[in-house]
Amino acid sequence: EPEVTQTPSHQVTQMGQEVILRCVPISNHLYFYWYRQILGQKVEFLVSFYNNEISEKSEIFDDQFSVERPDGSNFTLKIRSTKLEDSAMYFCASAVGEAFFGQGTRLTVV
Amino acid sequence: AQSVTQPDIHITVSEGASLELRCNYSYGATPYLFWYVQSPGQGLQLLLKYFSGDTLVQGIKGFEAEFKRSQSSFNLRKPSVHWSDAAEYFCAVGEEGYSTLTFGKGTMLLVSP
């Protein structure tokens, strides 16, 4: 069964450092998303991506965040200068009908 | 704006007993509704979805959910819970099947022997 794959599964980074979270969506899907889940809180939408551009973003997705689909298969989320409050589980999802989620990357900013 | 309320933060059910997890949504038009399950350390797995048609939808792992427009609810049910069902369950709503989702805060299901 096709699945969304995210790497790494865990990442620890120092405050102020840049991180790139990687995702391989399901191959025939057209819509791509990043969500995050701060520990103990609900899953929150960050950004959606369609036709090689951002289609929607939330208030959370400020200038420190960016997304790319560099090679037609990978879908990345970059956080330029991480803050302690960026510590969360980050989920990638892709959709053609309904969204399928990856296993998540747990980001810890120290 | 869309919103989802899952009023129960934790629920404990005995193995073999029936289960109902509550979900209420707020949305102006006909919603697209989903239930996802998250096992510890795992991602979000889609259990079932409602787009249109029959208001009782069947999902994986023996789960079902019923869309009740008059009550703005989409409760998840299972007739007999197994220990492996212990996980966190999230209800979500969207405008379309592929649109961004608004999630509830989740209900943690604990299964007692």
Side-chain angles (χ1 to χ4, degrees), chain A residues 31 33 35 37 40-45 47-48 56 89 91 95-104, chain B residues 4 34 36 38 41-46 49 51 88 90 96-106:
Chain A
Y31 299 86
Y33 314 84
Y35 290 79
Q37 184 184 29
Q41 300 186 22
K42 64 179 176 180
V43 177
E44 302 173 290
F45 167 71
V47 65
S48 61
E56 188 178 354
M89 180 76 90
F91 291 106
V96 61
E98 65 270 17
F100 290 85
F101 284 76
Q103 298 286 75
Chain B
V4 177
F34 308 82
Y36 286 87
Q38 184 181 30
Q42 301 296 309
L44 295 164
Q45 183 181 22
L46 180 66
K49 60 186 185 288
F51 285 2
E88 190 155 23
F90 292 93
E96 304 276 356
Y98 52 80
S99 67
T100 61
L101 298 176
T102 299
F103 284 83
K105 291 187 175 182

Side-chain angles (χ1 to χ4, degrees), chain A residues 1 5 7 17 21 23 28 32 35-37 43 46 48 56-57 61 69 75 77 93 101 108 110:
Chain A
E1 185 176 324
T5 305
T7 54
Q17 295 297 303
L21 310 183
C23 170
N28 63 333
F32 313 106
Y35 290 79
R36 79 173 184 190
Q37 184 184 29
V43 177
L46 292 178
S48 61
E56 188 178 354
K57 59 183 181 180
F61 193 86
R69 196 151 186 254
F75 180 51
L77 174 70
F101 284 76
T108 303
V110 297

Side-chain angles (χ1 to χ4, degrees), chain A residues 12-74:
Chain A
V12 180
T13 189
Q14 290 200 328
M15 191 168 52
Q17 295 297 303
E18 175 182 286
V19 295
I20 297 176
L21 310 183
R22 303 182 191 278
C23 170
V24 179
I26 296 172
S27 61
N28 63 333
H29 284 189
L30 303 175
Y31 299 86
F32 313 106
Y33 314 84
W34 284 100
Y35 290 79
R36 79 173 184 190
Q37 184 184 29
I38 295 172
L39 188 64
Q41 300 186 22
K42 64 179 176 180
V43 177
E44 302 173 290
F45 167 71
L46 292 178
V47 65
S48 61
F49 193 85
Y50 172 72
N51 202 24
N52 289 318
E53 60 182 20
I54 291 174
S55 51
E56 188 178 354
K57 59 183 181 180
S58 72
E59 293 176 350
I60 303 168
F61 193 86
D62 60 23
D63 291 344
Q64 70 162 340
F65 291 93
S66 62
V67 290
E68 270 192 336
R69 196 151 186 254
D71 56 12
S73 60
N74 292 287

